[in-house]
Structure formats: structure tokens, C-alpha cells
Amino acid sequence: MITKLYQKSILFLYKIKIYYFDLLLRYPSEFSKAIYNFFKNPSLKISRERRDFNFFLKQLGPQNKKKIFNNNESVLVDGMWDNACQWFRYSLVRKALRLDEYQEIGLIGKWNKKKSISTFEEINITVFKYFNPDRIDKDVFYEAFKLIKNFKNPEDIISHVWPNKVPGGLIYDHLLLTQRKPVVDLNDDDFCYQIAFILNSFRQSKKLLKSKKFKIIFLSHIFPAHYLALISTALILKINVVIIYSSFGTLRLLRMKSIDDYKLYTQPPDLQNWMDKIDSSNNNFFNIGKKYLTKRINGKGLDLGSQLTYSYAKKLNKDLIQEKYEWYENKPIIGIYCPQWFDTPHAYGMSNFRDIYDWFNLTLNEIKKNNFAYWLIKPHPVEKWYGGFTLADNFKNKETNNIKIFSEKVNNLDFINLIDAAITVHGTIALELTNLGKTVLSSDKSSYSNFNFTVNCDSRSNYVDRLKTKWWCVEKKKENIYKSNVFAGWWYGVPSWQKSLILPDDVNKDKNCKELKSIFFDNQSAVKKEINLIKKWYESGEKKYHIFKLDNSKTLVDIITSKNL
């Protein structure tokens, strides 16, 4: 009895510590910011531009003003992530599927409540469900308190059987992102709270989704943990799950039928469909991929990653690098493209490594053992944009004469011209490099690993073995170039009718309001076709909207060409 009372008291005090004292004592500036935000921050107010945009959304969507529903089921609409592009995307889906015939229920989270509710109400959605797993009961804290005692090392998080059979690697990724560290820290001061949040996400998801008869839930993300909890719970309850998002400016809807469908997030083509295009005499996808990749490496890509990678004007050449590092021997220079440390490394099903830190340390230790190449390591272009752990700050002292960290801000095309081959974990850089005739070693699963235009590794030991060889001396380079361009054609291709119905990057948030309205009014014909195709896609039962869209379009072009039509 005394032991139980003691444990409950400790957990109660821990909860107070998390909610109040940590914010004040550990992060005084954050505490001040929170107080300022509460009273003054304009982001909590609704700007005139946003109000105008909300009115535009009202005109865009169907309006069941009488609220007489033809169906006795409801749909749950994600308002936890407030973003102008996301509201625009949902409006298209809403119109296509006549969702006004159902009772639409807005899902409100911890952030931007006022803005989300305002938008929902403007488009005639007036019933809300609140979902905030941060509000954790004592019994959940106690469950987390017991669970963390079983975690002796970070790998235990991955191997643990989590609720609804959600893969442990995805839970691990959530913790990486929460902690902003390259390896999950079991001694983090807030670790018990972080685990309690995850457990509570599953508990609250079950309570929420059993509260009404839902037909579909529309979400903006698959990750982090609270989205995974909603998705996996809905699947168990036989509720349809649709993820609404964009990639490279085009609408990508994903219907999830199992939790493992998270691997389809990038929407690669099905292997058989792709092979049919490879085997046919139709070079359409090859030409689209070739054109797009050529434009991308010349700085014309529309996405944030492309702009950060290929935007710098500083020029370099091989002679300067050889002079700088005194690399005078006749050896190849191998580039190592380091991924972002905590941006869902398990998103493609990573199994050879625990995380990016594990991969990097193994790679570094292995390449030190050979002397037949020079190695140039490049940090990820968004590393500083994300903040937290950086490559140069933490590994600079581990450089050798043959291994250098190249953290200078240069155009990636110049970097590509410096190297003879490259290593990545699962980066899209493999497409660009292969297109330019450079061999790529892909060290774990990726969106393209089934398509065999990179040197793949099916295990950790296989990767280590390859590092001991001159793996870049491969045959079939022409075949690999062809395959990579066909794959890029699938990924970056759009119907010619799409024209400039290309959405801006989500990162700009409300700054996109005006542009989204212009895109809609300038592309009325394309909008109608998009809406009709969304309806056909949903009725077909297919998972990946982007692939369905390409399969059901006669003439295709690359995204950048489409934008300029």
C-alpha cells in the first residue's frame, strides 16, 4: 500500500515538473515566449488574408446548408495541422467525394485551435472532436514509468511490441524527432513523459474513434506517434483512412489499408507497372524523367529540398579540392550523402541500421580501413534548417587524411562533379547521380530499392562487405541510367492538363493564401479534371492517387514543364 502511494506521489510530482517547472527553469526564454504568445502573438490571431482565404474555401466546396445528411455515418477531418495548402487540398477532396452529405467532424489538436475552428466554421463544419494526448492521466504515467524500466538500450524501443502492432522503428523515429537527437536518449529528463504521450495517443485514439460511427478519417500526416495511433486504431475499427498531402507541388492521396502502407508514402510505381514501361518501346517516362532531373540539377526544382541543394552560386572544381586536402594520388573521390539525423529514418522500412547515427559510425569506421579511395562527406542540406545535432560539430575531430567533411555551402551539381560515385541511405540524390552516370551505393531500403538502378544492400553485413570492395566499378551503367530516368518519370510526371495547378510548398503556410486562390482561378479546367479523377480514384479502391492519375492520363509532362504551360 505504502509503495503504491509512493509511486503515485512520484508520478504526480513528475507531471507537475513536466508541465510547469521544466518550462520555467530549463527554458526561461521559452516560458517568456509562451506568456508573450498568449497575449500578443499575431499568429494566434486570424489575419484579413486568412479570413479572405476561408471565404474562398467556402465558395470552393459543396454546401449542405440545411445540414440534412443522406448518410448516418460521419467523416473525421484533420484540423490539428493548420496549413493553407492542406485546407485547399481537403476542399478538392471534399467536393470530389461529396463529403457534405456526411456529418463532417473537425479534429482539433493542441495547436492553432482558433484558426482551425474558424476555417471549419466558414466551410460549414461546426461539430468538433478534441484530441490532445498531452493531457495524460496518472495511470498512463504509471504505465510509462513501468515500461521504461524494460528499455536497457535504444534498440529495445524498436523491438518492443507497441499497441496496434505499430512498428517500433516508427515509434523510435517519433522519439528522435521529439528529442532532436541522433540517438534516442533513455536518460532524457522527459523520457517518461515522452513514452506516456505515445501510450496516451493510442488510448485517446480508441476513445475518439469509438465515440461515433466514422466512415472515413482524413489526415494530413502519417507520422509522428499521435497520427500513427489514429491510423492504426482506425484500421482495426475498419474505418477508411486517407492521407491528404502534396509532393513536388502535386496532390498525393494515400488510402491506407494496413499500417505497413506507410512505406507507400512517397508513392513509387508498382514494380510490375514499372517493368511494363521498361520493357515497352514507349520512352515517354524516360523522357519525362530525363527532362525533370536535368532541370532539377540546374536549380529549377520547385520543392524546398531542391532549392536548398542547388541554389548556391559558389563554384568548385576537382583541382581545388585536391589542392585543399592534398589528395594527389590517382584515387576516386567517393561522396557520402548524410541524411537528416532525426527525420523519420525508418520511413522506408530501415532494417540494416538502428538509425542514421548507427549507419554513419559504421560507415566511418569501415572506410578508415581501406586506402583505395578518398571520401568526401556531405551534410544534409536541411540540417541547419531543422536545428539540433550537426555533422560538422560532432564529427570534425574524426577526419583523417583520406576522409573529410565537406560542409561548405556550394551548389550540389558542383559537388557531384567532384565525386566519382556516392553512398546514400535512401536519398533521392540517387536518381540525380545515376542520371549523370555516377554509381550509387544504397545502404538500406528506399522508395527505389526494388528497381535495381543502384547497388543495393540487403543486410548490415552485406553493406560492410561492399565497403571493402570497389563497388562503384559496375557494369550496366547505361541500363541503370535508363531505369533511373523511367523511375523519375513516374515520380515527377504529371498529366499535361495539370498545367499550373502546381501547389506551393507547405512550408510557407499562410503566405500561400493569395497564390492558392490565383492557382484555382487560373486553372478551372484542370481543377475540374482533378476533382473528377479524385472521385474515380476513390471508387476504384486503389491506394496511390498519383499512380492512378498517371495511369489514367493520355499525355504526360514533367512537373516543371507543367508549371510553365
Side-chain angles (χ1 to χ4, degrees):
M1 180 68 180
I2 294 174
T3 302
K4 285 187 177 179
L5 284 172
Y6 172 75
Q7 288 174 336
K8 287 182 179 180
S9 300
I10 291 295
L11 288 168
F12 179 71
L13 291 172
Y14 183 78
K15 190 173 181 180
I16 293 176
K17 170 187 177 294
I18 289 288
Y19 286 156
Y20 302 105
F21 293 109
D22 271 11
L23 187 61
L24 177 60
L25 299 177
R26 293 176 63 200
Y27 308 109
S29 62
E30 292 297 317
F31 184 79
S32 301
K33 192 188 297 181
I35 297 298
Y36 170 80
N37 285 344
F38 183 79
F39 292 105
K40 297 287 185 182
N41 193 346
S43 70
L44 297 180
K45 300 177 182 178
I46 302 170
S47 66
R48 174 177 288 183
E49 187 175 45
R50 178 58 182 269
R51 288 198 300 269
D52 290 345
F53 182 71
N54 288 348
F55 182 74
F56 156 74
L57 293 175
K58 180 179 181 179
Q59 308 308 308
L60 173 59
Q63 294 299 313
N64 186 349
K65 294 181 180 179
K66 294 181 180 179
K67 296 186 180 180
I68 299 173
F69 306 111
N70 298 331
N71 298 279
N72 62 355
E73 296 175 302
S74 301
V75 296
L76 189 64
V77 185
D78 185 4
M80 296 188 294
W81 185 62
D82 178 75
N83 188 284
C85 286
Q86 185 64 11
W87 292 113
F88 182 84
R89 288 188 286 262
Y90 178 69
S91 295
L92 296 180
V93 174
R94 186 187 193 211
K95 192 162 187 174
L97 305 185
R98 288 307 310 259
L99 296 176
D100 61 318
E101 295 181 358
Y102 299 87
Q103 184 182 40
E104 296 168 282
I105 297 176
L107 182 60
I108 305 299
K110 180 179 180 181
W111 307 108
N112 295 304
K113 295 179 185 178
K114 185 177 180 181
K115 290 175 73 176
S116 291
I117 289 173
S118 172
T119 302
F120 274 133
E121 289 179 337
E122 188 69 54
I123 62 176
N124 211 32
I125 297 175
T126 56
V127 178
F128 308 109
K129 291 286 186 180
Y130 292 85
F131 183 68
N132 184 5
D134 277 303
R135 295 181 176 178
I136 305 170
D137 292 336
K138 287 181 289 184
D139 59 329
V140 180
F141 266 112
Y142 183 54
E143 185 181 351
F145 186 70
K146 290 191 296 182
L147 179 58
I148 62 175
K149 291 180 180 179
N150 299 325
F151 297 148
K152 307 303 180 186
N153 55 62
E155 287 81 1
D156 291 340
I157 297 168
I158 297 174
S159 61
H160 180 71
V161 179
W162 293 92
N164 300 347
K165 297 183 180 179
V166 169
L170 302 183
I171 300 296
Y172 184 88
D173 289 356
H174 167 86
L175 292 167
L176 280 180
L177 190 60
T178 300
Q179 296 182 356
R180 283 291 204 270
K181 295 175 182 177
V183 181
V184 171
D185 182 1
L186 304 185
N187 296 312
D188 188 285
D189 288 344
D190 296 336
F191 188 56
C192 183
Y193 167 75
Q194 292 159 6
I195 296 297
F197 173 88
I198 294 167
L199 297 177
N200 200 42
S201 294
F202 288 99
R203 175 182 287 201
Q204 293 300 318
S205 294
K206 187 175 181 180
K207 181 179 179 182
L208 168 68
L209 294 176
K210 281 192 168 185
S211 65
K212 285 190 77 71
K213 187 178 181 182
F214 290 109
K215 179 181 176 64
I216 318 170
I217 63 170
F218 294 96
L219 298 175
S220 58
H221 293 77
I222 295 178
F223 317 107
H226 55 294
Y227 279 98
L228 288 165
L230 284 166
I231 292 166
S232 59
T233 303
L235 292 171
I236 288 171
L237 296 174
K238 308 298 182 184
I239 300 170
N240 293 302
V241 177
V242 175
I243 313 299
I244 304 175
Y245 60 106
S246 292
S247 288
F248 311 107
T250 61
L251 187 62
R252 310 271 169 132
L253 308 173
L254 177 64
R255 184 204 317 263
M256 295 185 68
K257 297 183 179 181
S258 76
I259 193 62
D260 280 343
D261 286 341
Y262 75 88
K263 298 172 188 174
L264 303 178
Y265 186 75
T266 55
Q267 303 212 14
D270 296 323
L271 187 57
Q272 186 56 54
N273 203 342
W274 185 79
M275 287 302 296
D276 290 343
K277 299 300 178 186
I278 283 285
D279 294 337
S280 74
S281 58
N282 183 356
N283 285 326
N284 194 23
F285 283 96
F286 170 82
N287 292 331
I288 292 168
K290 184 72 175 176
K291 285 179 182 178
Y292 176 82
L293 291 175
T294 300
K295 292 172 185 175
R296 181 179 175 87
I297 63 178
N298 282 290
K300 296 179 181 178
L302 306 174
D303 59 293
L304 177 65
S306 175
Q307 291 167 9
L308 290 173
T309 304
Y310 292 103
S311 60
Y312 296 108
K314 186 175 179 180
K315 296 290 182 181
L316 280 177
N317 59 50
K318 218 166 191 177
D319 291 339
L320 290 173
I321 291 298
Q322 290 171 335
E323 187 73 29
K324 179 178 180 178
Y325 298 131
E326 299 181 354
W327 286 354
Y328 299 124
E329 294 182 52
N330 185 25
K331 299 177 184 179
I333 298 177
I334 310 301
I336 300 177
Y337 281 82
C338 192
Q340 218 294 321
W341 300 99
F342 40 78
D343 185 13
T344 54
H346 291 88
Y348 303 104
M350 175 187 275
S351 59
N352 296 346
F353 312 99
R354 180 195 61 214
D355 46 40
I356 302 303
Y357 189 83
D358 177 34
W359 163 80
F360 186 77
N361 272 298
L362 175 67
T363 303
L364 193 61
N365 290 333
E366 290 301 321
I367 63 176
K368 284 180 179 180
K369 297 175 185 177
N370 72 57
N371 196 37
F372 47 73
Y374 295 121
W375 306 87
L376 208 52
I377 306 170
K378 192 176 188 300
H380 195 276
V382 299
E383 186 181 67
K384 290 191 176 179
W385 185 80
Y386 267 96
F389 188 91
T390 64
L391 181 67
D393 291 345
N394 291 277
F395 287 100
K396 194 71 177 173
N397 62 345
K398 295 189 178 182
E399 290 182 322
T400 68
N401 290 337
N402 285 3
I403 303 170
K404 298 296 180 182
I405 294 174
F406 189 81
S407 54
E408 295 182 47
K409 291 182 178 179
V410 297
N411 190 301
N412 191 48
L413 182 56
D414 289 327
F415 185 81
I416 289 171
N417 290 332
L418 296 176
I419 62 177
D420 299 287
I423 299 173
T424 182
V425 178
H426 46 226
T428 56
I429 187 63
L431 290 171
E432 295 140 50
L433 286 163
T434 307
N435 172 61
L436 293 171
K438 313 269 184 177
T439 302
V440 176
L441 178 62
S442 181
S443 50
D444 212 312
K445 295 180 181 66
S446 67
S447 58
Y448 48 80
S449 53
N450 288 335
F451 301 95
N452 295 321
F453 52 80
T454 59
V455 179
N456 296 328
C457 303
D458 55 17
S459 67
R460 187 184 184 93
S461 59
N462 182 221
Y463 177 63
V464 171
D465 290 341
R466 289 201 184 282
L467 290 178
K468 295 174 183 177
T469 67
K470 296 181 180 181
W471 48 266
W472 52 87
C473 299
V474 298
E475 299 178 359
K476 300 183 179 179
K477 277 198 175 183
K478 286 185 178 180
E479 182 181 323
N480 290 341
I481 292 171
Y482 182 78
K483 286 181 177 181
S484 68
N485 281 300
V486 173
F487 186 87
W490 275 105
W491 220 5
Y492 301 116
V494 292
S496 57
W497 56 256
Q498 186 98 27
K499 296 189 177 179
S500 58
L501 182 56
I502 305 294
L503 304 188
D505 201 302
D506 291 353
V507 73
N508 296 317
K509 299 179 182 178
D510 278 2
K511 292 178 182 178
N512 288 328
C513 288
K514 187 176 180 180
E515 184 178 353
L516 286 167
K517 289 192 289 184
S518 297
I519 288 170
F520 174 79
F521 289 117
D522 292 344
N523 295 276
Q524 286 291 288
S525 175
V527 168
K528 288 178 182 177
K529 288 181 179 179
E530 188 90 79
I531 288 170
N532 289 334
L533 208 53
I534 292 169
K535 182 176 183 292
K536 290 179 182 177
W537 165 76
Y538 190 79
E539 290 172 349
S540 75
E542 292 291 330
K543 293 181 180 180
K544 297 175 285 188
Y545 174 67
H546 178 67
I547 301 302
F548 179 85
K549 185 177 181 177
L550 297 185
D551 279 341
N552 287 273
S553 300
K554 292 181 180 179
T555 308
L556 305 176
V557 294
D558 69 272
I559 294 169
I560 300 171
T561 297
S562 181
K563 177 79 171 176
N564 297 320
L565 287 176

